[in-house]
């Protein structure tokens, strides 16, 4: 049993076999980020902490947009 893997072991991975698994995850992540940023921009007058939410959406990858949709949309002021 091999306990230590080096960088040469990554050459043996068939990326074309992994691509159908990784590509939908990347596409969903990009879609979530873009929708969250568009919603934040559209409602920037009524949202609090726009800069903080922008940083969370961009740098917390898939969970950032989900956090925005669950928690950030509640920041709207009540009319």
């Amino acid at each position: 049993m091999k306990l230590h893997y080096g960088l040469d072991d990554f050459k043996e991975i068939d990326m074309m076999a992994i691509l159908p698994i990784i590509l939908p995850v990347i596409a969903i992540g990009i879609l979530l980020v873009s929708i969250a940023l568009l919603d934040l921009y559209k409602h920037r007058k009524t949202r609090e902490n726009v800069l903080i939410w922008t940083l969370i959406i961009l740098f917390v990858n898939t969970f950032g947009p989900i956090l925005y949709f669950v928690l950030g949309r509640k920041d709207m002021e009540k009319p």
Side-chain angles (χ1 to χ4, degrees):
M1 182 164 83
K2 192 173 183 180
L3 296 177
H4 182 268
Y5 294 97
L7 293 176
D8 294 331
D9 294 327
F10 287 118
K11 293 178 184 175
E12 298 173 9
I13 296 174
D14 184 19
M15 291 304 286
M16 294 309 280
I18 298 174
L19 192 63
I21 298 169
I22 295 174
L23 197 59
V25 173
I26 292 172
I28 289 171
I30 291 171
L31 184 68
L32 278 173
V33 167
S34 58
I35 290 172
L37 286 174
L38 285 172
D39 185 71
L40 183 65
Y41 179 75
K42 192 165 54 170
H43 298 101
R44 66 187 179 277
K45 303 274 188 210
T46 59
R47 299 280 192 258
E48 296 175 5
N49 305 321
V50 175
L51 179 63
I52 293 173
W53 278 115
T54 303
L55 294 175
I56 289 173
I57 290 169
L58 290 176
F59 293 117
V60 186
N61 294 335
T62 305
F63 295 113
I66 293 171
L67 282 174
Y68 170 72
F69 287 124
V70 171
L71 301 174
R73 291 180 58 111
K74 294 179 182 175
D75 284 348
M76 289 191 327
E77 297 175 7
K78 305 281 192 253

